[in-house]
């Protein structure tokens, strides 16, 4: 059955939301959420460790169940929905991608820092060779000027990406900035444009709507805001807002709300809240997944997590440099004369 849509939503609670549960999803949980999403008409469902394929590690957090088992479990119950996977070159490999495709993944989202698209061509090419939809996912997009963002997006498109995403990994951007950037990408690219927002400054919904108005046709959402930092654009709210605006998503409003409240909410260790650490992430422009690590390191060294995050921002630390968080906390403690706990 073909559903008419003006935009297509990719649900990321089973990937970005993995951060919020310390990567402890079970097969049963993934299947329950996937079934509900498919029944509600969500076209794409992303399933991996929060840091993508092969992200399970001491540095990023150990998964309870392997990526491949979770992807296979989701694909078994996805119906007409497609399972997407995130891959960060340097963490996930070509072999990981092949294995994901073999168990049912239909889309690969190749994620790089906004200035490092040139590490993605072989992964995008392999995704296409495997018959997958290929996405270029430019993270921490606020850290590059518009001209650089366009340059890097064009590289992703030249490698064969069907869609290029501008990713507000820190929840830093404001709606007018999203409008400017997505509008510029729409003018310069032939492929589809996507947007992935975080809610650290409570801008995720406004930014997603700004992106749609500026020409984005692929938007990420997460049930109950389930994601890193203060979470992502809330899928069930996004579907309702789009419906009021006359934007077709193909999503059943009652079914997506019931899924969020009855199935996903009980999985949450805490209700997504814009905490002081989350505000600092957005205000300073720090990778959203750093919140938990910074809070833990701050407690260990007896310093304020906000100071850790601000210092990380000053050093322009990006995703993949989580090991720097401990170093920064230790340096702050020494500078302040605080003894580690």
């Amino acid at each position: 059955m073909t559903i008419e849509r003006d935009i297509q939503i990719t649900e990321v609670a089973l990937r970005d939301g993995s951060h919020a549960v310390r990567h402890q999803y079970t097969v049963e949980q993934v299947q329950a959420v996937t079934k509900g999403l498919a029944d509600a008409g969500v076209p794409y469902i992303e399933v991996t460790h929060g840091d993508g394929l092969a992200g399970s590690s001491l540095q990023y957090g150990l998964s309870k169940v392997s990526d491949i088992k979770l992807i296979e479990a989701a694909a078994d119950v996805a119906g007409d929905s497609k399972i997407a996977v995130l891959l960060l070159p340097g963490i996930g490999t070509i072999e990981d991608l092949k294995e994901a495709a073999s168990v049912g993944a239909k889309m690969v989202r190749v994620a790089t820092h906004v200035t490092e698209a040139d590490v993605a061509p072989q992964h995008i090419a392999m995704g296409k060779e495997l018959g997958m939809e290929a996405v270029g996912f430019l993270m921490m997009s606020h850290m590059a000027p518009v001209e650089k963002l366009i340059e890097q997006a064009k590289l992703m498109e030249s490698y064969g990406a069907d869609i290029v995403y501008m990713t507000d990994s820190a929840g830093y951007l404001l709606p007018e900035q999203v409008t400017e950037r997505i509008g510029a990408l729409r003018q310069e690219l032939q492929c589809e444009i996507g947007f992935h927002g975080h809610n650290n400054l409570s801008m995720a919904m406004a930014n997603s709507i700004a992106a749609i108005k500026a020409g984005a046709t692929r938007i990420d959402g997460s049930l109950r805001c389930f994601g890193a930092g203060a979470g992502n654009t809330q899928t069930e709210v996004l579907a309702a807002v789009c419906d009021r605006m006359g934007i077709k998503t193909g999503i059943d409003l009652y079914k997506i709300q019931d899924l969020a409240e009855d199935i996903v909410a009980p999985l949450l260790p805490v209700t997504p809240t814009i905490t002081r650490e989350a505000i600092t992430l957005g205000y300073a422009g720090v990778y959203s997944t750093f919140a938990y690590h910074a809070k833990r390191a701050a407690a260990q060294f007896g310093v304020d997590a906000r100071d850790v995050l601000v210092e990380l921002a000053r050093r322009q630390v990006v995703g993949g440099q989580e090991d720097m968080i401990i170093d920064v906390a230790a340096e702050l403690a020494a500078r302040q004369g605080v003894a580690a706990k």
Side-chain angles (χ1 to χ4, degrees):
M1 179 178 66
T2 301
I3 298 174
E4 185 180 355
R5 305 176 194 267
D6 294 327
I7 65 165
Q8 300 205 67
I9 293 175
T10 296
E11 171 58 51
V12 302
L14 295 177
R15 195 280 299 171
D16 217 323
S18 181
H19 293 293
V21 296
R22 308 289 176 260
H23 316 293
Q24 297 303 293
Y25 277 132
T26 66
V27 165
E28 294 75 21
Q29 290 169 338
V30 166
Q31 286 198 321
V33 175
T34 300
K35 282 180 184 177
L37 288 166
D39 189 44
V42 176
Y44 294 91
I45 304 164
E46 189 176 51
V47 182
T48 54
H49 182 281
D51 291 285
L53 288 172
S56 180
S57 63
L58 289 174
Q59 182 175 5
Y60 301 120
L62 294 170
S63 298
K64 186 180 186 71
V65 180
S66 75
D67 285 323
I68 299 304
K69 287 183 179 178
L70 294 181
I71 294 163
E72 184 174 26
D76 284 346
V77 298
D80 293 331
S81 300
K82 295 180 180 179
I83 300 303
V85 296
L86 188 76
L87 187 152
L88 280 69
I91 298 177
T93 67
I94 292 291
E95 293 308 312
D96 295 319
L97 180 56
K98 288 179 179 177
E99 192 172 7
S102 75
V103 297
K106 301 297 183 185
M107 172 188 276
V108 59
R109 309 205 310 169
V110 182
T112 75
H113 185 63
V114 67
T115 60
E116 297 176 359
D118 59 358
V119 303
Q122 61 179 323
H123 303 86
I124 290 175
M126 179 53 66
K128 300 293 288 184
E129 186 177 325
L130 292 167
M132 307 172 83
E133 288 183 70
V135 179
F137 207 69
L138 293 170
M139 301 189 295
M140 298 291 282
S141 60
H142 73 279
M143 293 184 73
V146 174
E147 296 75 19
K148 188 69 172 180
L149 175 65
I150 291 169
E151 172 197 284
Q152 297 295 297
K154 283 185 172 181
L155 284 178
M156 288 292 199
E157 185 178 48
S158 75
Y159 302 150
D162 302 297
I163 308 142
V164 174
Y165 262 76
M166 186 185 86
T167 304
D168 186 18
S169 314
Y172 176 87
L173 295 172
L174 301 176
E176 58 267 28
Q177 295 173 302
V178 173
T179 297
E180 177 191 18
R181 288 161 177 265
I182 294 291
L185 290 173
R186 184 64 285 152
Q187 285 189 329
E188 296 290 338
L189 301 184
Q190 300 303 309
C191 67
E192 286 193 79
I193 307 299
F195 177 74
H196 172 100
H198 277 267
N199 206 40
N200 297 324
L201 293 178
S202 198
M203 289 289 110
M205 185 63 64
N207 284 343
S208 295
I209 296 303
I212 294 168
K213 287 184 173 182
T217 54
R218 303 288 186 126
I219 303 293
D220 283 5
S222 184
L223 293 162
R224 301 287 284 201
C225 279
F226 213 12
N232 304 90
T233 308
Q234 193 165 346
T235 304
E236 64 273 26
V237 181
L238 177 62
V241 170
C242 285
D243 188 69
R244 283 197 59 190
M245 296 178 68
I247 300 165
K248 296 183 180 69
T249 65
I251 293 175
D252 185 295
L253 296 185
Y254 279 15
K255 288 181 178 179
I256 198 72
Q257 291 168 21
D258 290 346
L259 172 63
E261 195 141 333
D262 298 337
I263 303 297
V264 174
L267 302 180
L268 294 165
V270 294
T271 301
T273 304
I274 303 176
T275 63
R276 56 193 172 194
E277 290 83 15
I279 294 168
T280 307
L281 290 170
Y283 178 78
V286 182
Y287 198 48
S288 287
T289 62
F290 284 6
Y292 169 71
H293 299 292
K295 195 170 182 178
R296 184 175 60 181
Q300 179 182 347
F301 288 95
V303 295
D304 192 316
R306 291 168 292 184
D307 289 338
V308 176
L309 293 169
V310 168
E311 179 62 19
L312 290 167
R314 189 188 70 77
R315 299 186 189 190
Q316 296 192 310
V317 174
V318 299
Q321 294 181 300
E322 280 80 355
D323 55 330
M324 288 287 293
I325 297 172
I326 289 288
D327 293 343
V328 166
E331 289 176 25
L332 288 174
R335 195 183 306 166
Q336 297 170 12
V338 178
K341 297 178 181 178

